[in-house]
């Protein structure tokens, strides 16, 4: 090889070595930056997560995997909201929302229970409003906890196991919305609340209560809300109702989830730290870190347009009535005197009432039924619907028949395989004529047309 060729090869070799050094150095710098970010996020997150979770926390849990607790493929999480330690009655929960996720169908449903619902507090001999369940557990922490008492109480009245709970206070909610840069909601009707309390946050971020008012007005339409306004939107009830407020809280939860996804928070370390630090001071849950990760993953892929929402309330076709207890307090009670109808509704909303043959394992009748009022007397179908739900039926719709008729007819689309269900309907509508049909099998189990021979007795 000539001297010139040797020189060229030497120069090219030196270039390759320098290139490798540059690449290696770049990789080291990149790894150093990543390590610094992970360390930054990890340190801040570990301190916050140690506050959030009821159990012991270690950073290695970030790298573990798990499966959420579930019952027949469904995970139920109780979401609670309270005023917090600096708020009078701060342990009482204004928000009592049961979120259920079906792993098989990849669908979710939400049911809000009113705070004034009178219940037996789990792990106690006390009967009180539902909003006291968490407070009772915190007060008697030697024998239970706020989360456990609230979970068990809601489980008792809903008929489903509650696997987890999470509770956030007013400050955490406000700061979380602000950290997200605000949320957008469609305000269906204007809010004009002249009696909204004049509460405020002091310089240290503590929530302060006053006896004065700060009128709150929010016009109808699509609105972008900052943290303070979102909190007012979630709390206002003086000129609407607790039930309206519960529906607004459900909308806010969905809006916050959508905003978090749109920001790509999981790819933004600064946002991750900000949110974890906010939650670390104002959120408690009995989920482990790995369970939180799994829940976030599920929430990220959830089709929110297919989510079913329900607020258990009072009214002509609802399940609750308002009254006063022995102490003169306003309370809500189940119309039927028990929680049987509420449990049936929960199964219906959560999609657990789809059982072959029309009878559940507990012996309660199940099946989809549509009721038409052909009696000529308004309201009889609405009066019958709660009785059907109490027996376990899913009442898909109530309609007025195209024409009044003398006799009542039950169309059975189950091919005669639901004798127990038919017998239950006949016990409620004694003079009904049963006709077996094969059409509509995919959408209904029964169609009931009430005639004039049905009086509602």
């Amino acid at each position: 090889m000539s001297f010139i060729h040797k020189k060229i090869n030497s120069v090219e070799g030196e270039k390759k070595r320098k290139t490798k050094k540059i690449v290696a150095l770049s990789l080291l710098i990149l790894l150093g930056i990543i390590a610094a970010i992970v360390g930054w996020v990890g340190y801040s997150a570990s301190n916050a997560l140690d506050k959030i979770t009821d159990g012991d926390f270690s950073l290695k849990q970030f790298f573990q995997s798990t499966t959420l607790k579930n019952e027949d493929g469904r995970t139920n999480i109780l979401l609670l909201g309270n005023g917090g330690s600096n708020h009078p009655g701060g342990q009482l929960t204004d928000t009592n929302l049961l979120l259920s996720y079906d792993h098989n169908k990849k669908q979710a449903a939400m049911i809000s229970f009113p705070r004034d619902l009178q219940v037996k507090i789990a792990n106690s001999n006390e009967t009180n409003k539902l909003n006291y369940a968490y407070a009772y557990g915190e007060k008697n922490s030697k024998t239970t906890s706020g989360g456990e008492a609230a979970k068990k109480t809601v489980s008792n009245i809903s008929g489903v196991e509650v696997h987890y709970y999470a509770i956030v206070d007013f400050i955490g909610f406000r700061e979380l919305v602000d950290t997200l840069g605000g949320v957008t909601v469609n305000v269906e009707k204007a809010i004009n609340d002249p009696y909204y309390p004049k509460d405020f946050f002091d310089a240290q971020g503590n929530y302060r209560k006053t006896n004065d008012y700060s009128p709150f007005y929010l016009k109808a339409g699509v609105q972008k809300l900052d943290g303070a306004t979102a909190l007012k939107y979630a709390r206002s009830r003086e000129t609407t109702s607790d039930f309206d407020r519960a529906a607004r809280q459900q909308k806010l939860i969905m809006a916050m989830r959508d905003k978090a996804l749109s920001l790509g928070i999981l790819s933004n370390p600064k946002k991750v730290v900000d949110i974890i630090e906010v939650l670390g001071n104002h959120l408690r849950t009995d989920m482990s870190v790995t369970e939180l990760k799994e829940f976030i993953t599920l929430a990220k892929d959830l089709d929110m347009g297919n989510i079913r929402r329900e607020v258990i309330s009072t009214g002509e076709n609802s399940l609750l009535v308002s009254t006063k207890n022995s102490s003169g307090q306003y309370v809500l009670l189940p119309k039927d005197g028990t929680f049987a109808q509420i449990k049936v509704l929960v199964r219906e909303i959560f999609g657990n009432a789809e059982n072959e043959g029309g009878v559940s394992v507990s012996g309660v009748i199940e099946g989809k039924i549509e009721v038409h009022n052909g009696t000529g007397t308004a309201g009889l179908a609405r009066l019958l619907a709660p009785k059907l739900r109490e027996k376990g039926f899913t009442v898909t719709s109530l309609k007025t028949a195209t024409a009044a008729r003398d006799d009542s007819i039950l169309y059975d689309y189950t091919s005669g395989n639901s004798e127990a269900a038919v017998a239950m309907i006949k016990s409620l509508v004694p003079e009904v004529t049963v006709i077996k049909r094969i059409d509509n099998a995919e959408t209904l189990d029964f169609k009931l047309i009430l005639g004039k021979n049905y009086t509602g007795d």
Side-chain angles (χ1 to χ4, degrees), residues 137-157:
E138 291 297 286
K139 182 180 177 181
N140 297 275
S141 56
K142 290 184 178 180
T143 57
T144 183
S145 68
E148 284 301 315
K151 280 168 52 178
K152 185 61 177 175
T153 300
V154 171
S155 179
N156 290 342
I157 65 176

Side-chain angles (χ1 to χ4, degrees), residues 242-447:
D242 252 348
F243 313 120
D244 291 334
R245 176 166 69 170
R248 294 196 301 270
Q249 291 167 356
Q250 291 180 356
K251 291 179 68 173
L252 281 169
I253 289 172
M254 296 169 69
M256 292 166 71
R257 176 262 187 192
D258 289 343
K259 185 61 179 289
L261 285 180
S262 69
L263 294 175
I265 283 176
L266 294 180
S267 61
N268 187 328
K270 180 63 169 65
K271 283 290 185 182
V272 171
V273 173
D274 289 344
I275 288 176
I276 288 177
E277 287 180 342
V278 167
L279 296 180
N281 292 323
H282 305 287
L283 173 79
R284 292 292 299 178
T285 181
D286 57 352
M287 283 187 179
S288 68
V289 174
T290 51
E291 288 168 330
L292 276 170
K293 284 172 56 183
E294 178 65 16
F295 177 66
I296 291 170
T297 300
L298 295 177
K300 188 171 62 172
D301 299 328
L302 184 63
D303 179 9
M304 298 301 279
N306 198 28
I307 191 169
R308 186 167 181 184
R309 296 184 289 151
E310 186 76 22
V311 176
I312 298 179
S313 62
T314 58
E316 183 178 358
N317 297 317
S318 58
L319 303 180
L320 302 178
V321 292
S322 60
T323 186
K324 290 186 177 181
N325 62 17
S326 57
S327 301
Q329 290 181 310
Y330 169 85
V331 295
L332 299 170
L333 297 173
K335 281 183 179 178
D336 64 352
T338 72
F339 287 91
Q341 290 184 355
I342 289 177
K343 291 177 181 179
V344 169
L345 179 63
V346 170
R347 288 203 312 275
E348 178 185 329
I349 300 300
F350 286 176
N352 293 335
E354 298 177 4
N355 193 35
E356 296 296 329
V359 183
S360 72
V361 292
S362 62
V364 176
I365 303 298
E366 295 183 346
K368 297 178 182 178
I369 186 170
E370 183 177 277
V371 183
H372 295 241
N373 187 359
T375 66
T377 303
L380 288 186
R382 289 196 300 271
L383 290 175
L384 178 61
K387 299 177 183 179
L388 289 166
R389 291 193 182 103
E390 183 179 1
K391 301 301 182 184
F393 289 99
T394 300
V395 180
T396 60
S397 63
L398 301 176
K399 299 181 179 181
T400 301
T402 54
R405 58 180 304 119
D406 294 327
D407 58 331
S408 299
I409 295 178
L410 175 67
Y411 292 107
D412 177 4
Y413 301 113
T414 68
S415 300
N417 293 324
S418 298
E419 294 183 4
V422 171
M424 188 62 71
I425 295 171
K426 292 179 72 172
S427 72
L428 298 173
V429 188
E431 299 182 19
V432 67
T433 299
V434 180
I435 299 176
K436 296 177 182 179
R437 299 281 290 271
I438 59 173
D439 53 327
N440 278 342
E442 293 183 359
T443 57
L444 285 176
D445 295 307
F446 306 99
K447 181 193 290 185

